[in-house]
Amino acid sequence: MNDILIKAKLFLTPLWNRCAALWSSLLVRWNCLLEKLSTVEIPILKKKLSPRNIGISLLVIFALIVLICVKSCGKDVKRAPTPVTTALPLSQEIRSFATFDGLVDPYLTVNLDARVKGYLTKIGFADGAMVKKGDLLFVIEQDTYIQEVKLKQAIYNEAKIEYGRQKSLLKENATSQAAVDKALSQYQQAEANLTLAKINLGYTEIRAPFDGLMGRHLLDVGTYLDTTSKGVQLSTIQQISPIYVYFSINERDFLKFTKGTNQNEDRKSEVNKLPIFVGLQSELGYPHEGILDYAANLISTNTGSLQLRAILKNENYELIPGLYAHVMAQYGEPRQALLLPRTAVMTDQVGDYVYVLDDAMRAQRQDIALGQRFEKYVEITKGLTADSKVVVNGFINLSINQIASPTEVKLEPMLTR
């Protein structure tokens, strides 16, 4: 500690001596200046002042100059009006809506299975292609089944002739009733066997059961199909026109929507009537329209949500199974509302507000209440009228009572979906 004090003393002592010498030099110069000024006669007073009086006078003048500068800096500077963009609230008829996350699902999904044995001889489609109802998709070797049909046809013809002959003989009492019954039995068995042979021959050709989208083929030409009770799966076809979109509503929103309504009657009235709008991630808005065609009969205890389903025509095959979709459902009665761009609304600790211009073109804060939110607009339920001049651009540079130079624009009508 002593070493530190010694070093500090050695450093500060020369610095103090220099400052004292400088101060002494300034005092000497100041006194010399005052001595010279004391030799000058003041015209107004017509006498000479002492150095002490001159020093006091100079200090007073310097203080007055400083005081005048300070006061002049505190005066308000007149600023030019701030340029802003204003608009009247958009008055438009709207409906309340809710949005959900959905998943596109096929209307029908069918596994195409081989039901008879044999080698796969033909594939009649391209993987992932659209096919029409009745298009030939697969062929299993047919030779064995064609010959089986011919064999059963011959047996059938013989049994038919024998049955007819036995009936003729019975009329002439040349045969017994037992022989006729036996011939009838053989005829019916032959007919059934022929029918089964034709069915098996038909199974060698697998055709599209409906217009749909094919999956990939699971087995190649030349593969032997040794069928089981479940059959051998060859491919899958999906019907995507019409198409389903599944989505879910959580328990909280479900209770909000059904509050004050008869749930059974309300559900019956909405199913097959409530319009549903769907949009993909790459699309603007909700260009695909359908209707609600299914609502689950209970809320899932695992997810706490109620599953819903919409059906859409999908005539241009724009919706493909597995795609993520945005779903919008409108509800309630149409109503007239005031709308503002969402970018014009500001929020602080007090709440939501906008700037409006009064008759003197001064900016005033206006607290508002918000309702339904849309993609670009938001509903104003309280605080504005249709004649309010709302600042929609340039409000960042505004403050309360500040004069503005407005440029008025007209808000474009909002798309309802």
Side-chain angles (χ1 to χ4, degrees):
M1 179 61 72
N2 293 331
D3 294 340
I4 295 175
L5 293 176
I6 293 172
K7 290 181 180 180
K9 183 177 180 181
L10 293 175
F11 175 76
L12 294 176
T13 298
L15 184 61
W16 174 259
N17 292 334
R18 290 181 183 179
C19 292
L22 181 60
W23 178 251
S24 299
S25 175
L26 291 175
L27 288 179
V28 171
R29 292 176 182 273
W30 175 255
N31 290 330
C32 290
L33 177 63
L34 294 179
E35 289 291 339
K36 289 181 180 181
L37 293 175
S38 65
T39 60
V40 179
E41 182 177 348
I42 306 301
I44 298 177
L45 300 177
K46 295 181 180 181
K47 65 177 183 178
K48 298 178 181 179
L49 297 178
S50 63
R52 181 173 179 274
N53 291 334
I54 292 175
I56 294 173
S57 300
L58 290 176
L59 292 175
V60 171
I61 292 172
F62 178 76
L64 289 175
I65 292 174
V66 172
L67 183 62
I68 291 172
C69 290
V70 171
K71 286 188 175 182
S72 64
C73 291
K75 290 183 178 179
D76 292 335
V77 178
K78 186 175 182 180
R79 293 186 293 180
T82 303
V84 296
T85 303
T86 62
L88 300 178
L90 177 64
S91 179
Q92 184 172 335
E93 186 179 85
I94 65 170
R95 288 184 67 185
S96 297
F97 73 92
T99 58
F100 310 92
D101 296 329
L103 187 66
V104 181
D105 206 54
Y107 182 73
L108 292 175
T109 299
V110 174
N111 292 332
L112 301 174
D113 297 333
R115 302 180 64 178
V116 293
K117 296 180 180 181
Y119 288 96
L120 184 62
T121 59
K122 182 180 179 180
I123 298 176
F125 67 94
D127 292 352
M130 293 296 302
V131 296
K132 296 293 185 180
K133 181 179 180 179
D135 285 355
L136 183 62
L137 305 178
F138 295 97
V139 177
I140 302 170
E141 63 172 335
Q142 298 179 315
D143 296 344
T144 303
Y145 298 98
I146 293 175
Q147 297 304 320
E148 184 72 17
V149 170
K150 290 181 178 180
L151 175 62
K152 301 301 183 183
Q153 182 71 54
I155 296 174
Y156 168 78
N157 292 339
E158 181 183 2
K160 184 177 181 180
I161 294 172
E162 178 62 23
Y163 175 58
R165 189 171 70 86
Q166 289 295 329
K167 287 197 299 181
S168 298
L169 292 175
L170 181 62
K171 292 179 181 179
E172 298 174 0
N173 294 322
T175 187
S176 64
Q177 182 64 43
V180 175
D181 293 341
K182 183 178 180 180
L184 175 61
S185 175
Q186 291 176 345
Y187 167 67
Q188 291 176 338
Q189 292 179 38
E191 184 180 27
N193 288 331
L194 176 60
T195 301
L196 289 175
K198 290 181 178 179
I199 291 174
N200 287 333
L201 178 60
Y203 287 158
T204 61
E205 292 184 350
I206 300 174
R207 298 181 179 272
F210 45 74
D211 295 354
L213 179 66
M214 290 298 303
R216 67 181 182 90
H217 65 277
L218 302 179
L219 296 174
D220 297 324
V221 172
T223 303
Y224 182 74
L225 308 177
D226 188 8
T227 60
T228 64
S229 59
K230 295 183 179 179
V232 178
Q233 185 176 350
L234 301 177
S235 186
T236 302
I237 183 173
Q238 295 178 330
Q239 185 174 356
I240 61 174
S241 178
I243 199 167
Y244 289 135
V245 175
Y246 284 90
F247 58 100
S248 298
I249 180 173
N250 62 55
E251 183 178 352
R252 181 184 59 188
D253 290 340
F254 175 76
L255 294 175
K256 180 179 71 174
F257 296 150
T258 58
K259 184 177 181 181
T261 62
N262 186 319
Q263 294 187 16
N264 291 331
E265 292 300 324
D266 187 62
R267 183 176 301 181
K268 291 178 182 178
S269 64
E270 297 295 351
V271 173
N272 296 323
K273 292 183 180 179
L274 181 68
I276 301 293
F277 303 95
V278 174
L280 302 178
Q281 295 188 72
S282 60
E283 296 175 329
L284 182 63
Y286 304 85
H288 309 284
E289 183 176 357
I291 60 171
L292 181 71
D293 82 319
Y294 165 76
N297 57 358
L298 54 84
I299 293 179
S300 171
T301 56
N302 294 327
T303 62
S305 60
L306 182 74
Q307 188 180 58
L308 305 172
R309 185 181 69 194
I311 185 170
L312 300 91
K313 292 183 179 180
N314 197 32
E315 294 175 343
N316 297 324
Y317 306 126
E318 295 175 303
L319 302 177
I320 301 298
L323 288 177
Y324 169 81
H326 304 287
V327 180
M328 180 185 72
Q330 295 181 339
Y331 63 93
E333 296 297 327
R335 63 182 183 278
Q336 201 69 22
L338 296 180
L339 305 176
L340 280 182
R342 298 180 67 168
T343 54
V345 179
M346 295 168 284
T347 304
D348 59 12
Q349 295 86 345
V350 178
D352 300 309
Y353 69 97
V354 294
Y355 278 119
V356 297
L357 299 184
D358 58 18
D359 294 337
M361 296 301 156
R362 292 183 178 273
Q364 304 295 338
R365 173 186 172 125
Q366 181 61 56
D367 293 328
I368 58 175
L370 304 182
Q372 183 71 59
R373 287 173 169 81
F374 300 89
E375 185 174 358
K376 294 183 179 180
Y377 290 91
V378 61
E379 179 188 8
I380 309 300
T381 59
K382 184 180 179 182
L384 295 179
T385 66
D387 298 326
S388 299
K389 295 180 179 179
V390 182
V391 179
V392 296
N393 198 6
F395 48 78
I396 295 180
N397 300 320
L398 280 180
S399 59
I400 296 177
N401 288 326
Q402 183 176 344
I403 298 178
S405 175
T407 300
E408 187 168 349
V409 297
K410 185 176 181 180
L411 298 179
E412 296 181 358
M414 179 189 66
L415 296 177
T416 56
R417 40 174 279 206

